[in-house]
Amino acid sequence: MITFYEDALCENCYAVRLLLHMLAVPYTSHFIELYPSRANLQPRFRAINPLAELPVIDDDGVIIAGAAPILVYLAAKHAPGTWYATDTPALAQVTHFLTLAERLSATVGAARRHESGFAPTDLPAAHTGATRLLRGLDAHLWFAEQQGNAWLLPTPHPTIADLACFPHVILCEEGGISRQPYPALRRWCDRVKRLPNFLVMPGVFLTAPPKTE
Amino acid sequence: MPDPTTANLWHPIAACADTPVGTPQRTTLLDTPITYTLHGEGHATAASSSMLPVLIRYGYIWTSLGTPTADLFDIPEYAEPDRRRFNAASVSVHVSAPRAVENFLDMSHFPFVHTGILGAEPHTEVKEYDVETSAERDEVLATRCRFFQPQPSTAADQGAEVEYVYRVPHPNCAILYKSSVIDETRRDVIGIFVQPVSQERVRAHMLVCVLDDRSDDETIKRFQQTVFGQDKPILENQFPKRLPLDPRAESPVRADRVSIAYRRWLSAKGITYGVIPAA
């Protein structure tokens, strides 16, 4: 059984929680409060992850830290070929978006953590960086839609690339960044929300179901 | 500058349990940068350009930019030894303090914002409840508030019609008393103590003082933070961010009786900070 160390309000933990639910992998959750008590800095948690960062999973003794590595681990183990790519160009593309998600975390996420009181940052710099990345992602998705693709990778099934980027995009308004200028991003957010076993977190709301005949 | 009533209030600036001992910390209260230090059991200091009065109460450090004219409101239940008492969350929200308090007093949003926890469709009706503004105790009180809740607390196994009492003993603090699922003669107490950072930004501290002999602190915190996190985007999308006190500014419905009383009470106190005063 997987033990999942997480904070309910952490967007990087949300990416992992989404995949656990979509794969229907059972787990027990262990709450590590990042703010205000900073339970992640306690020796008890540092013994699990010396970097004192969330999320972390412990899969029967295999400890993996960080959203991207956990997503790779879970998807490669439970759903290779769907949630995780196995062919060469797709592997590189997934890695591209996992890296992009880290950059979203450092800009969009940093703005949100600043506004939430978690961690002060250089807000104008975070907004500038966020705008550049969101604009690029919106353009990528617009072209993808023109090619008939719904997801970040040109695959019929969504991948961990989508789940890694989604939390940052859907919570950007908590960092004072509007999604208004990014219509393709907004449509993609709705598609992610309509996936089977989708799960909300505080700050994320369900979307209307697709129109049925 | 805050109005004199607001400046003379006690306001919370941090939870003691979340504050490192002996290390100066910074925060902002009413647009004023404050440095404070928790020295140890029951003692703290705070200063802006000069030393500020400090109170430690209900697990929080409180201070005031003016001269507090009254002691802090009383929560007798806090002294009961079998209760779980701690700060469940300190959340920054881009909204005025009175908007945050008013949201805490509102039941009608439960089924839509806290779906499956504090409410669920089709149980959307806010039944008739009583509101009283006590001049003697200087507080607004709403009683007989009843609402069906799928998961009233971490101690609950199933949904129940829950009875609430709301008490607003301070312009920026509110307390709710909620029927306990484990002892029907007693009530859980949850307080929201709002620290106005500016007129349109707050840190909201949430006190739990509850009867729950089976959940650990982390479970209770996660429950409260989940609920609070759901409110945050709703609050941040309210416009104007300051609370309009003119009765014609927003159209209340019957479920808003406690909000109307709260707004009148703020008006009568002459509060102008974080609100749009009636013309």
Side-chain angles (χ1 to χ4, degrees), chain B residues 71-113:
Chain B
D71 190 18
L72 194 60
F73 50 85
D74 197 22
I75 307 177
E77 294 81 3
Y78 191 80
E80 295 172 4
D82 61 342
R83 286 180 182 265
R84 311 284 296 281
R85 309 168 298 180
F86 52 85
N87 179 43
S90 294
V91 182
S92 296
V93 190
H94 190 182
V95 76
S96 63
R99 284 268 194 214
V101 169
E102 201 185 66
N103 177 74
F104 187 75
L105 304 176
D106 177 64
M107 286 183 292
S108 65
H109 73 286
F110 286 171
F112 311 105
V113 178

Side-chain angles (χ1 to χ4, degrees), chain B residues 1-75:
Chain B
M1 271 302 288
D3 59 80
T5 308
T6 300
N8 289 334
L9 291 169
W10 288 110
H11 276 114
I13 51 173
C16 299
D18 301 330
T19 306
V21 175
T23 318
Q25 308 288 317
R26 288 168 196 272
T27 190
T28 304
L29 173 64
L30 303 169
D31 301 295
T32 306
I34 288 177
T35 308
Y36 63 97
T37 309
L38 182 65
H39 298 287
E41 201 62 40
H43 177 56
T45 48
S48 55
S49 51
S50 58
M51 292 301 282
L52 299 173
V54 171
L55 196 64
I56 292 192
R57 193 75 64 83
Y58 311 131
Y60 296 89
I61 305 170
W62 302 72
T63 189
S64 174
L65 298 186
T67 309
T69 49
D71 190 18
L72 194 60
F73 50 85
D74 197 22
I75 307 177

Side-chain angles (χ1 to χ4, degrees), chain B residues 208-278:
Chain B
V208 293
C209 178
V210 297
L211 297 162
D212 185 338
D213 51 10
R214 69 177 204 193
S215 310
D216 58 15
D217 290 3
E218 280 67 32
T219 305
I220 297 174
K221 282 185 178 185
R222 170 152 43 179
F223 179 84
Q224 296 298 341
Q225 290 182 13
T226 297
V227 168
F228 214 143
Q230 291 168 338
D231 282 315
K232 186 176 150 88
I234 305 294
L235 278 167
E236 293 185 337
N237 281 295
Q238 291 186 6
F239 289 93
K241 290 194 179 291
R242 300 180 199 193
L243 186 70
L245 297 186
D246 188 325
R248 293 160 303 181
E250 292 179 339
S251 304
V253 295
R254 200 179 59 175
D256 298 327
R257 287 185 59 203
V258 64
S259 315
I260 298 165
Y262 173 58
R263 292 182 187 203
R264 278 197 196 129
W265 186 64
L266 294 181
S267 269
K269 286 182 168 297
I271 284 179
T272 59
Y273 194 87
V275 302
I276 300 170

Side-chain angles (χ1 to χ4, degrees), chain A residues 7-205:
Chain A
D7 180 307
L9 303 182
C10 161
E11 64 272 49
N12 288 306
C13 296
Y14 180 43
V16 172
R17 204 178 312 126
L18 275 174
L19 184 62
L20 284 166
H21 279 255
M22 289 181 179
L23 295 175
V25 173
Y27 66 94
T28 52
S29 169
H30 201 100
F31 182 52
I32 304 291
E33 186 181 71
L34 292 176
Y35 185 83
S37 69
R38 302 187 197 277
N40 57 312
L41 301 182
Q42 298 294 325
R44 202 165 50 123
F45 182 68
R46 278 190 193 274
I48 299 161
N49 181 9
L51 289 174
E53 291 168 352
L54 290 177
V56 172
I57 61 164
D58 180 343
D59 187 6
D60 290 327
V62 179
I63 293 177
I64 315 276
I70 296 173
L71 292 175
V72 168
Y73 175 85
L74 291 173
K77 182 173 176 182
H78 296 281
T82 55
W83 283 105
Y84 191 53
T86 43
D87 63 283
T88 318
L91 263 176
Q93 286 163 338
V94 166
T95 308
H96 168 73
F97 287 108
L98 293 180
T99 315
L100 187 78
E102 298 287 345
R103 292 166 70 198
L104 287 169
S105 182
T107 51
V108 183
R112 175 174 177 265
R113 288 187 288 275
H114 176 93
E115 295 288 4
S116 310
F118 285 23
T121 193
D122 178 349
L123 196 59
H127 278 187
T128 305
T131 303
R132 218 173 69 76
L133 295 177
L134 292 174
R135 196 177 285 162
L137 204 53
D138 184 60
H140 172 83
L141 281 163
W142 188 87
F143 285 113
E145 286 176 348
Q146 298 306 303
Q147 306 286 319
N149 296 318
W151 311 109
L152 289 174
L153 261 63
T155 49
H157 196 280
T159 63
I160 53 171
D162 298 285
L163 298 189
C165 294
F166 174 77
H168 305 290
V169 176
I170 201 65
L171 291 164
C172 69
E173 289 178 340
E174 291 194 2
I177 298 162
S178 174
R179 258 189 318 280
Q180 206 70 39
Y182 313 117
L185 262 182
R186 299 206 307 273
R187 289 191 294 273
W188 168 76
C189 284
D190 282 344
R191 291 195 290 274
V192 173
K193 287 181 174 185
R194 289 181 185 130
L195 287 170
N197 296 332
F198 177 77
L199 192 74
V200 293
M201 74 163 261
V204 180
F205 294 90

